[in-house]
Amino acid sequence: MPKFYITTPIYYVNDKPHIGHAYTTIAADVIARWHRLRGDDVFFLTGTDEHGEKIMKAATAAGKSPQEFVDGLAVVYKDAWKKLNISYDYFVRTSDPNHERLVKLFVDKLYKSGDLYKGIYEGWYCVSDETFFTQLQLRDGKCPECGKEVKLIKEEDYFFKLSKYQQRLLDFYKENPDFLSPKFRADEIKNRVKAGLKDLSITRSAVKWGVEFPPDKSYTIYVWVDALLNYVTALDWPDGKRFGEFWPADVHVMAKEINWFHSVIWPALLFCAGMEPPKKIFAHGWWTVDGKKMSKSVGNVVDPIDMSRKYSTDAFRYFLLREMPFGDDGDFSEKALVTRLNTELASDLGNLFNRVFTLAEKFDGKIEGRVELEMQLDIEGITKSMDNIELFNALAKIFEYVAAANKYVNDTRPWALKDEQLGNALYNLLEACRVLSIVLYPFMPETSEKVAKQLGTKVGTLEECKFRKFSAKVSKGELLFKKVDAG
Ligand code: ME8
């Protein structure tokens, strides 16, 4: 059985998840479910990033100890993923003793390699992004990523010789043209690496909420090194069975602001430890809300659980993946969600199922297929899009098929047909519905399961996407998507 290992970033638990976190996690879930449909043995990892200054500050503000604070929020994340139907296989937490133990082991390995040295760090630090910046990188004296205040740090630290890996990284990108994805983000990374790499400070002396740095216990390990290692500690590197089976990862999914850490720092750390880098880094775009970056002070942070409660988890999942191509930036608006729900889900998809099931339930003759549907599901095209992580294109192809099936209903007018002719039309339509329940499954698992149930069957595998002998007893259930008032 082919193995497939996919990860999301581990999210900072300074607050509950918003739609940005939900987006990456849902997209990864869609890809994981797709690979399970293909018959792959999938390991889907998500989790929480719980150490560092940012979390420590949030815990203090909440009047809690850091551990108590992160324990509470890890549960909030797990609950959210349950409500959004995220089928992760393992939830990693960086405050987990097993993770901490393995991080120490890895960093000790880096130390023994000779690529760590002690030096003076002097520069700017953004606590919100847990990132170091040079004076030149700042924008109007603030963090170039999030626009927040930065602070000047001067301390003696241990450094990782990132600069040593410049050529090795460039060679690796060249030999592995699919590593940096999507393609349009690759040049930015390559150009920055070509321009030269600065060594990376990988310890903090002032930050106590972190993993102890084994060679010098007066330091903790920089939170980003701790965090990146989750991708292998969750597999029980170095000796675990899962590590042997699933490393290197097939794809790490995240948004563009942390592409650098994944595409440059992570492979360099792995090279230093004598390990293989992941196969692909996929950095998608950013959601804004009503045209603005989401922030508490603007008051436009959207809660994914509110959206799922209001419009259904499947409608929310569908909207996120249909509204913008995976990779690009886009804008979230509830109005746009309602429009897609009312038209594409209720009128097009829901109505197709409803019409077909109503007819099938009433029909008491023999449903048999002699007239093949003229329109065929482009399963090859969908497979190609899904394998290339073009989720938007795959959905577009699936909905072309929905449109063709609706057209078939309008053209054949089965309600006016009788006996054999009606049996043939129903055969085609029921098979179209069954096949749709398979390809829609990664995106809208609940809907797919309901459709399969109404067809008297279970959601099939990809191999079962071909029309076959019909042998199901249809029992129509409730409407799959109800229109909502656009307000
Ligand atoms: O960066 N649009 O965690 P984080 C789309 N702990 N995606 C968004 C988004 C938006 N507006 N906002 C957030 C960290 N995301 C580190 C990661 S991994 C070893 C350590 C998603 O809580 C997107 O995936 O800030 C982004 O990369 C991630 O949340 C950042 O989550």
Side-chain angles (χ1 to χ4, degrees):
M1 222 194 227
K3 305 280 176 199
F4 187 79
Y5 178 27
I6 180 166
T7 69
T8 72
I10 48 170
Y11 305 109
Y12 288 128
V13 280
N14 56 313
D15 210 338
K16 62 183 184 180
H18 59 57
I19 56 161
H21 305 115
Y23 180 57
T24 316
T25 314
I26 290 170
D29 184 62
V30 170
I31 302 166
R33 284 178 188 270
W34 166 258
H35 279 270
R36 290 192 198 108
L37 274 188
R38 296 202 68 173
D40 294 352
D41 183 9
V42 173
F43 192 71
F44 171 19
L45 177 71
T46 190
T48 40
D49 194 352
E50 305 186 345
H51 288 136
E53 205 170 340
K54 175 177 169 128
I55 305 297
M56 206 161 70
K57 272 176 109 175
T60 308
K64 291 188 176 161
S65 75
Q67 190 64 58
E68 200 187 346
F69 181 71
V70 299
D71 284 349
L73 273 151
V75 172
V76 172
Y77 266 83
K78 284 184 182 170
D79 279 352
W81 298 158
K82 196 166 173 198
K83 294 199 174 93
L84 297 178
N85 238 329
I86 306 300
S87 62
Y88 63 80
D89 294 293
Y90 188 69
F91 192 100
V92 61
R93 298 182 53 189
T94 55
S95 70
D96 184 281
N98 190 51
H99 171 82
E100 292 184 356
R101 178 178 66 84
L102 295 175
V103 166
K104 285 186 198 165
L105 187 70
F106 190 98
V107 170
D108 215 31
K109 220 173 144 117
L110 296 182
Y111 188 71
K112 288 186 181 123
S113 77
D115 281 349
L116 302 190
Y117 65 91
K118 211 169 184 184
I120 301 284
Y121 179 79
E122 189 170 7
W124 299 92
Y125 195 74
C126 169
V127 175
S128 183
D129 287 309
E130 297 281 17
T131 304
F132 299 98
F133 294 105
T134 61
Q135 177 78 39
L136 270 177
Q137 285 175 307
L138 300 186
R139 202 170 296 147
D140 301 327
K142 304 227 165 92
C143 170
E145 285 295 346
C146 68
K148 291 193 183 137
E149 296 289 338
V150 284
K151 62 176 182 183
L152 189 61
I153 290 184
K154 185 173 180 186
E155 63 178 36
E156 201 175 22
D157 274 332
Y158 286 85
F159 284 78
F160 168 59
K161 283 186 196 161
L162 183 62
S163 55
K164 179 178 154 185
Y165 292 93
Q166 181 187 25
Q167 196 51 46
R168 177 111 186 244
L169 284 164
L170 291 172
D171 292 345
F172 178 75
Y173 301 151
K174 206 169 182 181
E175 285 154 19
N176 299 277
D178 293 330
F179 177 72
L180 300 169
S181 303
K183 290 249 181 307
F184 65 84
R185 292 200 203 287
D187 283 346
E188 188 207 329
I189 294 287
K190 285 185 213 160
N191 291 339
R192 274 180 70 187
V193 174
K194 273 182 206 151
L197 292 171
K198 274 170 63 89
D199 290 346
L200 178 74
S201 160
I202 65 150
T203 58
R204 297 294 306 278
S205 62
V207 180
K208 299 296 169 215
W209 178 238
V211 182
E212 204 175 72
F213 179 64
D216 184 341
K217 297 192 170 45
S218 59
Y219 289 92
T220 56
I221 295 164
Y222 174 39
V223 64
W224 261 102
V225 174
D226 172 2
L228 286 164
L229 284 168
N230 90 86
Y231 300 131
V232 294
T233 65
L235 302 178
D236 293 324
W237 168 85
D239 303 318
K241 181 167 168 273
R242 277 204 300 235
F243 181 70
E245 287 177 348
F246 288 101
W247 193 258
D250 290 272
V251 58
H252 293 317
V253 184
M254 79 232 49
K256 58 188 180 181
E257 85 289 357
I258 56 174
N259 195 6
W260 178 258
F261 287 97
H262 286 81
S263 296
V264 180
I265 296 172
W266 181 222
L269 290 170
L270 289 164
F271 287 146
C272 177
M275 288 160 69
E276 260 188 277
K279 291 182 202 153
K280 191 193 279 295
I281 304 295
F282 193 100
H284 65 69
W286 272 347
W287 284 102
T288 50
V289 173
D290 297 324
K292 293 194 194 77
K293 190 177 158 73
M294 254 183 291
S295 90
K296 267 194 172 169
S297 50
V298 177
N300 63 346
V301 180
V302 181
D303 182 340
I305 303 307
D306 282 351
M307 291 300 108
S308 120
R309 215 175 275 139
K310 220 162 150 184
Y311 303 109
S312 83
T313 293
D314 278 1
F316 176 60
R317 288 172 64 111
Y318 171 79
F319 175 77
L320 290 180
L321 296 169
R322 182 72 168 146
E323 182 70 1
M324 70 178 186
F326 195 52
D328 293 4
D329 294 329
D331 189 53
F332 184 93
S333 85
E334 232 174 300
K335 210 169 148 214
L337 196 165
V338 168
T339 305
R340 286 197 186 270
L341 167 59
N342 285 347
T343 55
E344 291 153 22
L345 296 182
S347 296
D348 299 343
L349 184 66
N351 200 29
L352 170 69
F353 291 133
N354 192 41
R355 289 203 284 182
V356 176
F357 295 158
T358 306
L359 283 162
E361 209 179 31
K362 281 197 214 135
F363 184 70
D364 58 2
K366 198 167 172 208
I367 298 176
E368 56 183 358
R370 274 199 239 124
V371 188
E372 265 293 310
L373 258 186
E374 277 176 26
M375 44 103 190
Q376 287 295 334
L377 177 73
D378 178 12
I379 191 70
E380 255 177 53
I382 294 171
T383 301
K384 209 167 150 203
S385 300
M386 290 302 286
D387 288 351
N388 291 337
I389 318 192
E390 293 160 3
L391 309 182
F392 176 87
N393 291 347
L395 265 185
K397 287 182 185 112
I398 296 170
F399 274 74
E400 271 169 29
Y401 188 66
V402 172
N406 270 320
K407 183 171 180 303
Y408 180 87
V409 178
N410 296 341
D411 292 351
T412 54
R413 300 167 47 83
W415 53 88
L417 297 176
K418 280 207 183 73
D419 308 329
E420 195 185 315
Q421 277 184 318
L422 176 54
N424 278 330
L426 275 179
Y427 165 80
N428 281 313
L429 287 166
L430 285 167
E431 277 297 86
C433 291
R434 185 184 61 79
V435 164
L436 274 171
S437 78
I438 300 174
V439 288
L440 282 172
Y441 176 75
F443 299 92
M444 297 190 274
E446 248 173 82
T447 303
S448 283
E449 274 160 8
K450 282 187 197 158
V451 169
K453 194 166 168 223
Q454 295 185 23
L455 285 165
T457 179
K458 288 210 158 66
V459 178
T461 64
L462 259 203
E463 278 180 2
E464 291 166 305
C465 273
K466 290 185 202 85
F467 276 28
R468 62 182 190 196
K469 201 168 172 345
F470 186 82
S471 60
K473 175 92 191 80
V474 175
S475 58
K476 196 175 141 232
E478 58 185 295
L479 272 186
L480 292 163
F481 297 100
K482 293 190 190 86
K483 286 197 182 183
V484 299
D485 190 354

